[in-house]
Amino acid sequence: MKVLVIGAGGREHALAYKINLSPLVSEIHVIPGNDAMTHIAQTHPEIGESAHEEIIEFAEQQGIDWVIIGPEQPLIDGLADKLEAKGINTFGPNEAAAQIEGSKRFAKHLMAKYDIPTAQYYESHSKQEALDYLSQCDYPIVLKKDGLAAGKGVIIATNREEAIAAIEKLHDSENEVVVFEEYLEGEEFSLMTLVNGDYAVPFDCIAQDHKRAYDNDQGPNTGGMGAYCPVPHIDNSVIKETNQQIAQPIAQSLKSEGYHFFGLLYIGAMLTNEGPKVIEFNARFGDPEAQVLLKRMESDLMQHIIDLKNKQPIQFKWRDSSIVGVMLASKGYPGSYEKGKKVSDFETNNGTYFVSGLKREDGHFVTSGGRVVLALGEGKDIATAKREAYKAVNAIENEALFYREDIGNKAIH
Ligand code: AMP
Ligand code: GLY
C-alpha cells in the first residue's frame, strides 16, 4: 500500500514514522515533509500543502492508496473533499465537518444544541457588544477569536482592565466574532477519537499537553511545549465518561446535522468538579500529543484507519511504558524569533526525535520554525521517561533553543 502524508511538522514526522512500521505499507510520501524525515519517507518540498491540484495530480500519478492529512489548514480549505471526489481514500474530514475546529462558534452551537458539557459562552459581534457584556461577566473570563489562531487566539482576563485590552486585541476587524467563555478550573487532557460518521472510537490512552511557554504554566499560550502519556492520575473511568458524554454525542450530533466527519477528532477537555467539559475540538491529531501517543501505540495505525473506514471493531494496543516528549523551541517563540540557527546533528529515524522546524543547509541542521524538535523518552513510569527525554534534550546542542524543565511533573509525586 502507498501512503501520502500531508504536512511538514513533528506530528507528520511521527505519522510517517508510525505508518512506516506497518506491514501493510510499502511506500510513504510526505508533501511537503521536512529534511528530518528523509530516512523514513520520500519528501516533496517542491509541493506546498496548499497546492491542492498538484497534490491530487501527484496522488493519481503515484497510485496513492491513502492520503493522511496532518494539519488543520488543508482540511479547512477542503483538500479532503477534492481528494474524495477523485476517489482517493482520505483520512481527514471534509471542509464542512472541519468547521468543528475552524469555527469556535460552530462548535459551541453544536454543543449547546446537543447538551454536550462545555463552558458557558457568549458571542459578541462588535467591540461595543463585547464591552457591554463585561458589566455582567465574572472573572477570570476567557476570550477567543472565532477562527483559527494556532493556539494564540485565546486570552484569559483576570479583571475588567485585562478584558478591555483583550477585546481591543481580538475585535480587530469589522466582521470579527469573539467568543466569551466561562473559565473552567481543573486538569486538562487530550483524547484522540477516530470518527467515521456516528462510529466513534476514542483512544484508550489520553495525553497531557503543556500549552504555556514557560515552567509552572507561566507565559503565553503556544502550540504545545511538551506532552506525555499515559496520564496516571486521571482514571480510566474519566476516559469512559468522556466517551459517553462527549465523543459519542458529538459524533451523533455531527451526523444528525448532516455533516460527514471521517478522520481524527481531538477532544481537548478539562476535568472539572462536574466531570469532563470540552475546551476545544480539533479536526486532526494534536501536536505534540500525536508524537507521544504514536510512539506508545503498539497496534497498527494503518489497520485502525482501514477498520474505521469499514466500521469494523478497533482494539488499540499500547506499549507497557510511559512516554514523555519535551519541545525545543527557538528563543523568542511564540513571539518573534530568528531562523537559520545551527543545531547539532542527531538521529531522526528511530523515534527519539520528531522534528517540526529544521532544514538541512550545507550538510547540517538549521532552525526554520518556532517549535523545532520534540525530544522523547520512554520508561516504566513518567519519572523514568522524563529523565530519558531530558537526556535526549541535552544530546542536542541548543544555544538558540529553549525548553520547559517541568514536562510531566503533574504526573510525578
Ligand atoms: P484553545 O485554543 O481553545 O484550546 O485554548 C488554549 C488554552 O487556553 C487551553 O488549552 C486552556 O489551557 C486555556 N483555555 C481555553 N478555554 C478555557 C476555559 N474555558 N477555561 C479555562 N481555560 C481555558
Ligand atoms: N497541542 C494542541 C494542539 O495540537 O492543538
Side-chain angles (χ1 to χ4, degrees):
M1 198 160 71
K2 293 184 180 183
V3 178
L4 167 63
V5 176
I6 306 294
R11 165 184 49 215
E12 290 75 29
H13 189 177
L15 281 165
Y17 165 81
K18 180 65 186 160
I19 290 165
N20 192 37
L21 297 176
S22 169
L24 301 172
V25 176
S26 55
E27 207 173 299
I28 307 176
H29 297 266
V30 191
I31 291 180
N34 70 44
D35 291 343
M37 303 174 186
T38 50
H39 296 290
I40 48 174
Q42 297 177 50
T43 60
H44 300 276
E46 70 286 358
I47 309 178
E49 70 184 35
S50 56
H52 294 187
E53 297 315 316
E54 285 176 64
I55 292 171
I56 290 160
E57 199 180 313
F58 177 90
E60 285 188 315
Q61 273 173 4
Q62 298 285 328
I64 297 293
D65 298 291
W66 271 97
V67 179
I68 317 280
I69 303 178
E72 58 276 19
Q73 198 66 55
L75 295 167
I76 286 159
D77 293 344
L79 177 58
D81 307 60
K82 293 180 199 162
L83 287 160
E84 284 287 340
K86 296 280 184 185
I88 301 166
N89 286 316
T90 305
F91 181 74
N94 56 33
E95 182 176 354
Q99 284 183 82
I100 196 150
E101 168 165 10
S103 166
K104 303 265 183 210
R105 203 158 38 135
F106 175 89
K108 280 294 190 188
H109 282 262
L110 207 57
M111 287 187 277
K113 182 165 173 187
Y114 291 89
D115 228 1
I116 294 168
T118 187
Q120 297 290 331
Y121 80 111
Y122 172 81
E123 192 179 298
S124 77
H125 297 260
S126 71
K127 212 179 261 189
Q128 194 52 50
E129 220 181 304
L131 291 169
D132 291 346
Y133 178 70
L134 292 187
S135 57
Q136 62 186 86
C137 78
D138 296 325
Y139 296 97
I141 184 91
V142 184
L143 294 94
K144 300 184 180 183
K145 243 189 198 320
D146 179 47
L148 279 188
K152 298 172 203 161
V154 176
I155 298 174
I156 297 170
T158 54
N159 57 45
R160 191 179 156 80
E161 286 65 44
E162 285 178 19
I164 291 171
I167 290 168
E168 289 293 335
K169 187 161 174 226
L170 298 180
H171 265 301
D172 56 358
S173 69
E174 273 291 304
N175 303 320
E176 197 61 69
V177 175
V178 172
V179 172
F180 284 77
E181 268 186 24
E182 165 201 8
Y183 179 78
L184 296 177
E185 243 168 305
E187 252 201 84
E188 239 177 299
F189 63 94
S190 312
L191 178 64
M192 307 297 133
T193 304
L194 294 173
V195 176
N196 178 4
D198 59 355
Y199 181 53
V201 187
F203 283 18
D204 43 10
C205 174
I206 55 175
Q208 204 163 45
D209 190 8
H210 296 67
K211 300 236 165 152
R212 301 294 198 98
Y214 314 129
D215 283 11
N216 303 313
D217 295 332
Q218 301 295 307
N221 262 320
T222 69
M225 293 299 293
Y228 64 91
C229 73
V231 182
H233 55 294
I234 296 184
D235 197 76
N236 277 342
S237 64
V238 174
I239 306 184
K240 259 198 194 136
E241 196 181 346
T242 311
N243 181 32
Q244 281 159 6
Q245 306 286 326
I246 298 170
Q248 298 304 325
I250 195 71
Q252 286 289 347
S253 72
L254 280 163
K255 185 169 183 200
S256 305
E257 295 291 309
Y259 296 96
H260 181 67
F261 192 107
F262 178 76
L264 191 122
L265 181 71
Y266 167 121
I267 300 170
M270 188 76 87
L271 181 55
T272 71
N273 290 337
E274 297 165 343
K277 294 189 180 186
V278 175
I279 297 237
E280 66 165 342
F281 289 119
N282 293 320
R284 37 115 192 136
F285 277 102
D287 183 342
E289 289 94 327
Q291 290 89 313
V292 292
L293 286 164
L294 294 177
K295 176 144 172 133
R296 183 161 187 256
M297 185 185 281
E298 201 163 77
S299 43
D300 186 342
L301 178 66
M302 232 24 253
Q303 185 64 54
H304 294 327
I305 289 174
I306 291 163
D307 289 340
L308 180 71
K309 178 91 182 172
N310 300 323
K311 298 197 174 176
Q312 292 300 306
I314 293 172
Q315 185 74 59
F316 301 103
K317 201 162 174 258
W318 305 96
R319 294 166 71 81
D320 190 20
S321 62
S322 296
I323 310 288
V324 172
V326 179
M327 187 65 76
L328 290 104
S330 295
K331 282 181 183 162
Y333 172 81
S336 58
Y337 53 85
E338 286 181 48
K339 292 183 186 173
K341 298 284 179 190
K342 193 173 165 187
V343 173
S344 65
D345 227 342
F346 55 89
E347 188 80 49
T348 57
N349 57 354
N350 65 1
T352 304
Y353 298 102
F354 291 123
V355 167
S356 332
L358 286 174
K359 60 179 184 180
R360 282 217 176 266
E361 228 173 63
D362 304 328
H364 56 249
F365 278 132
V366 298
T367 58
S368 60
R371 292 195 293 171
V372 170
V373 52
L374 190 79
L376 292 93
E378 180 169 14
K380 65 176 176 16
D381 51 23
I382 298 290
T384 319
K386 180 185 168 190
R387 273 198 298 280
E388 292 301 314
Y390 282 95
K391 269 189 215 163
V393 167
N394 290 322
I396 300 181
E397 236 177 75
N398 56 31
E399 281 93 73
L401 307 177
F402 79 100
Y403 54 88
R404 282 179 57 159
E405 305 266 6
D406 64 343
I407 303 302
N409 280 6
K410 282 194 190 129
I412 302 169
H413 301 289

